[in-house]
Structure formats: C-alpha cells, structure tokens
Amino acid sequence: MMDTFKAYRVFSENGKVSGRVVDAALDELSPGAVVFRTAFASVNYKDALAATATGGKIIRTFPRIPGIDATGIVAASSDARFKPGDEVICTSYELGVGHDGGYSQVCRVPAEWVVPLPRGLTLYEAAALGVAGYTAGLAVELLELNGMASSHGKVLVNGATGGVATLAIDMLAKLGYHVVAVTGKDAEHAFLKELGAKEVLSRQQLEMGNRPLEKPLWAAAFDSVGGEQLAWLTRTMQPEGLIASFGNAGGIEFKSTVLPFILRGVRLIGVNSGETPMPLRRKIWSRLATDLKPRHLAGIAHEITLAELPAYFERMLKGEIRGRAVVKL
C-alpha cells in the first residue's frame, strides 16, 4: 500500500466550496473494512454539485473526497467476503457525500457497500456505467416489473444527452424498444440515433399543451429532468403508461392533476439508486454485464484526469457535456 497517494479533496474555506488535488494518507480516509486501489471513478451530476459552491450543501462535513462511485482492486479487507486481489465496484450509499469517495487512488469503505465485479465487465466498463448506468438499469428493471414491454408502444427518454439517459437509450434499444429521445441540443441528434434512438425530438419544438390530459403518446418514459417536462409526460402517457423519475435537472417541483393517474392508470415510479438492497443491487450489476450491457459504451464514455475535474464540473453544471467522463486513477 502506498504511504501517500493522490486524491481530489473538497474544502470549505472562507465561505467558499472548492476542490484541489492533494497528497492523502490511508489514516485520513473515512473508516471501512475494505481498502482497494482505485482504478477508475466516474463523474456524475451529483459530484459536480457536491464539489462546487453550487451544491455545497450536498457534502455535510469538510474536507471531503467526492466521487459517488469507484472501481478497483482490493488491497486489504477485514471482512471475509473480500480478499486482496478481488476486483470490486462501490457506488452510492454515502460514498463521496458523507464518506470519502472515489476521486482518490485509494478508497476505504464498509464491506456492505461493495459489489464483486461481475463476469462480463472490466473495471473501466463498470466505472463508465457507474451510478448512472446502475440507475438506468434499475429503472429498466422497475418498469419491467410493472409491465413495460416493447410491444406496448414507444418509450421516451428525456434529457437524452445526460449520463443516465444515454445509457438508458442504449439499453432500451438493445432490448428491442422503440426509443424516442428528447434533447435541447440539436447538434446531438445524430449521436442519439447512433445509440439506438429511432426518433429524436427537439425540446424547443415540443407542444406541451395545458389540458389535464393530452394525446396519449408514450407507453413508458425515463425522466431525468423533472419540472415542466415531467408534468407534460404525465399528460401524454398512454393508458397504463409508466414513468421512471430519477433526475431534477429542470427543477424539483412539477404541477399536475390526478387525472392521468385515475383516468389512464399512469404510474410514476421513483428510482432511488442510493439505498438499494444488496440482492437487487447485485442483480442489476449482473444484468449490466449481460442483457443490459450497452453496445456503445466506448462511444459514450471518455477518460479524464483528477486535475481536469474542476473544469469538467463547470461544463457539466452548464449542460455542456454529453455521455460519461471516467477519471483514471
């Protein structure tokens, strides 16, 4: 084990939240039974919020190493379930928020948070999926449990160039769904079709309407936006339509009526990837290595370094990125 290693640590100094690359030591990290040498960690919207003044309230105590997911190789473990040399994944829970996270060359975490790397995924691929891929896979699983099927009609994916959405498009297309992508970035239409979207709609050209019920269009929808667009989705779902809600890029509030739910049987399903019971968590990761493994992951993800994080956070918060960034540790 290295005496010191590089980590990106966030500080609250003089009322300002900011981060920088520092030298860290194992005894400075949050406690845990499993220590692993980090191979990769991804960049998520929550990471960008947590590491900047924009969302300083996400991290409750400073200093903190952010990064809500990581993959790596076990160096030491006091828990019999893991041994040195095991390849592992750690995502969600308090990682990178209340517990030092993935933007560190060494991670120390509770054993209860750790998932063995499933056969069919590399450490890089698992990090490229990360919390975003896990969230997309969990959303697919939950909607399938509620009856989603490719024969029922079109599936809309909102906020289509975001990390969760791009992976969801790829997964759904692989499963045979007719995917309709909605984006505010007109330059990305070709990219979304490459991922498998059959149709791409410009957000600026959507006719939202204001009636409690609009023309039924979608059998299912994956929403990372919230706000006005989620309200529009509730009004345009087919009878027994299913909506997976997992993001709030467009706001945390939305205005609707009960009519879509009591007259069309629309179901709004929340997707909480943070506290999934471990048996389901392992099932989703197994699916991410098999039937849900995106076909275009190499085109969705790209590598960056720890030093590039601040600039990337800024671009992410401005909505200037697409796909997934993977930090090589």
Side-chain angles (χ1 to χ4, degrees), residues 166-181:
T166 52
L167 294 167
I169 290 168
D170 202 331
M171 294 175 194
L172 291 163
K174 181 180 181 181
L175 293 175
Y177 289 92
H178 182 116
V179 179
V180 179

Side-chain angles (χ1 to χ4, degrees), residues 10 17 45-53 55-59 62 66 96-97:
V10 174
V17 175
Y45 193 75
K46 186 174 182 179
D47 296 315
L49 289 173
T52 64
K57 293 182 180 179
I58 290 177
I59 292 178
F62 295 90
V97 178

Side-chain angles (χ1 to χ4, degrees), residues 151-217:
S151 60
H152 293 172
K154 298 178 179 180
V155 177
L156 181 139
V157 179
N158 212 0
T161 60
V164 182
T166 52
L167 294 167
I169 290 168
D170 202 331
M171 294 175 194
L172 291 163
K174 181 180 181 181
L175 293 175
Y177 289 92
H178 182 116
V179 179
V180 179
V182 175
T183 180
K185 302 175 182 177
D186 291 342
E188 302 293 357
H189 287 208
F191 168 69
L192 295 171
K193 288 188 175 181
E194 288 173 8
L195 297 183
K198 295 289 187 182
E199 304 174 52
V200 181
L201 305 180
S202 174
R203 187 176 66 219
Q204 292 84 353
Q205 297 175 346
L206 291 179
E207 295 182 4
M208 295 285 187
N210 54 19
R211 295 179 298 177
L213 293 173
E214 299 287 348
K215 180 181 178 181
L217 299 172

Side-chain angles (χ1 to χ4, degrees), residues 95-156:
L95 192 69
V97 178
H99 189 103
D100 287 320
Y103 299 152
S104 172
Q105 290 179 319
V106 175
C107 283
R108 181 166 62 180
V109 298
E112 293 74 20
W113 297 1
V114 181
V115 175
L117 182 75
R119 185 183 302 274
L121 284 179
T122 66
L123 290 172
Y124 174 81
E125 290 171 333
L129 289 164
V131 169
Y134 179 79
T135 301
L138 180 60
V140 171
E141 171 82 6
L142 293 176
L143 264 59
E144 286 178 342
L145 288 173
N146 279 272
M148 182 177 71
S150 59
S151 60
H152 293 172
K154 298 178 179 180
V155 177
L156 181 139

Side-chain angles (χ1 to χ4, degrees), residues 305-323:
T305 66
L306 281 178
E308 293 175 288
L309 278 172
Y312 196 85
F313 290 150
E314 184 176 343
R315 291 180 56 216
M316 176 171 271
L317 292 173
K318 291 179 179 178
E320 296 175 353
I321 59 93
R322 75 177 189 192

Side-chain angles (χ1 to χ4, degrees), residues 218-221 237-243 260 264-269:
W218 326 112
M237 299 305 295
Q238 296 175 8
E240 310 305 319
L242 305 166
I243 304 172
R264 287 184 179 169
V266 171
R267 276 164 280 177
L268 178 59
I269 298 170

